[in-house]
Amino acid sequence: MIRVGDVLVSKGEGGVYGERMLDGYRVWDPYRSKLAALYLTGRGIDLTPGMKVLYLGAANGTTVSHVADYVEVVYAVEFAPRPMQDLLEVARRRTNVMPIMADASCPERYAPLVETVDLLYQDVAQPDQAAIALRNCAFLKPGGQLILMLKTRSVDIRKEPAEVFQDTLDSLMSAGITVTESTWLAPYHQDHAAIVGTLEHSVLGTDHA
Ligand code: SAM
């Protein structure tokens, strides 16, 4: 990952969401992006030029645009029409962003549009976040990696965030994900955690969902 001093940045055309530029690089704001927060609070996964990424919960394309600055291609799934309009603009300016308007809980609907990927990144505030991630692991190549941004309050507002975090870790591990890192994203994002894992061997089946 590229840093200018302590500042996380990416190399690409600016002006996507009013981000600052520093020495010609785009500043990647951890308050605007949970992935940037992960790189600052934990380790995360190095994004490399040959990587293919499936990104669930693309929203306006803020984080998508930074990821696209690092990798070969980003398949960006979003189901809400308003952010999709902004995402389309990001895709117009970054030819390696493939916008897909679809519900991430129904991966079979976009399976024809997505190839096997190296990294599955998920940031959807839904009650069944672990189940959505596991369904989409069908797109991961063996040894592929998962980053799940968990919004604990969307899973169950009555449960303690730590309990939701542990339940989610248990669900992922019992489905064959080896968790390599798990961390809260405070002080940048409250009640949000990041879970990083590897799909060692597919117990999920090799066919697309
Ligand atoms: N990842 C974005 C970023 O860092 O720039 C922010 C994502 S925002 C917290 C969550 C997004 O997920 C929203 O735009 C929402 O519409 C989308 N979303 C929620 N559930 C979804 C689903 N089942 N399928 C597709 N998109 C979904």
Side-chain angles (χ1 to χ4, degrees), residues 52-55 64 67-68 71-76 96-99:
K52 299 177 200 303
V53 180
L54 174 57
Y55 190 122
V64 165
V67 174
V71 305
E72 183 181 318
V73 63
V74 185
Y75 296 94
N96 62 342
V97 173
M98 308 296 158

Side-chain angles (χ1 to χ4, degrees), residues 13 38 47 68 70 80 84 100 107 113 132 156 170 188:
E13 190 193 348
L38 172 61
L47 301 174
Y70 279 94
M84 181 47 97
I100 298 172
L113 305 175
I132 292 174
D156 191 339
D170 292 344
Y188 304 108

Side-chain angles (χ1 to χ4, degrees), residues 170-188:
D170 292 344
S171 304
L172 295 177
M173 289 188 293
S174 58
I177 303 290
T178 302
V179 174
T180 53
E181 183 180 8
S182 57
T183 180
W184 291 103
L185 295 177
Y188 304 108

Side-chain angles (χ1 to χ4, degrees):
M1 305 305 297
I2 310 169
R3 290 171 197 250
V4 177
D6 289 342
V7 181
L8 182 70
V9 297
S10 70
K11 191 178 181 180
E13 190 193 348
V16 175
Y17 59 99
E19 69 276 27
R20 277 194 308 123
M21 302 298 288
L22 183 62
D23 290 355
Y25 292 99
R26 302 174 64 218
V27 173
W28 194 348
D29 183 349
Y31 291 97
R32 299 287 298 270
S33 166
K34 286 166 215 121
L35 186 53
L38 172 61
Y39 288 120
L40 297 180
T41 54
R43 293 189 309 276
I45 288 170
D46 254 358
L47 301 174
T48 55
M51 242 182 198
K52 299 177 200 303
V53 180
L54 174 57
Y55 190 122
L56 308 177
N60 308 60
T62 302
T63 301
V64 165
S65 67
H66 286 289
V67 174
D69 287 344
Y70 279 94
V71 305
E72 183 181 318
V73 63
V74 185
Y75 296 94
V77 176
E78 172 56 52
F79 72 176
R82 178 63 195 89
M84 181 47 97
Q85 285 176 23
D86 293 338
L87 181 63
L88 288 173
E89 179 58 21
V90 171
R92 197 180 63 75
R93 292 165 57 182
R94 281 176 170 70
T95 53
N96 62 342
V97 173
M98 308 296 158
I100 298 172
M101 190 161 175
D103 183 343
S105 26
C106 304
E108 65 282 358
R109 302 219 178 119
Y110 48 87
L113 305 175
V114 178
E115 61 189 316
T116 301
V117 295
D118 306 283
L119 173 64
L120 171 62
Y121 179 85
Q122 178 176 307
D123 181 14
V124 298
Q126 292 290 343
D128 53 347
Q129 290 166 69
I132 292 174
L134 290 172
R135 249 172 262 151
N136 281 274
C137 278
F139 296 105
L140 265 187
K141 69 178 192 192
Q145 292 176 297
L146 163 73
I147 301 179
L148 170 59
M149 294 305 180
L150 178 68
K151 185 172 183 183
T152 57
R153 299 177 78 77
S154 299
V155 176
D156 191 339
I157 191 122
R158 295 159 306 177
K159 278 192 184 169
E160 283 299 315
E163 193 184 342
V164 173
F165 194 6
Q166 189 57 54
D167 290 350
T168 307
L169 286 168
D170 292 344
S171 304
L172 295 177
M173 289 188 293
S174 58
I177 303 290
T178 302
V179 174
T180 53
E181 183 180 8
S182 57
T183 180
W184 291 103
L185 295 177
Y188 304 108
H189 302 271
Q190 297 305 324
D191 293 330
H192 280 83
I195 299 172
V196 182
T198 307
L199 182 66
E200 297 295 353
H201 50 83
S202 188
V203 294
L204 304 160
T206 48
D207 294 335
H208 284 171

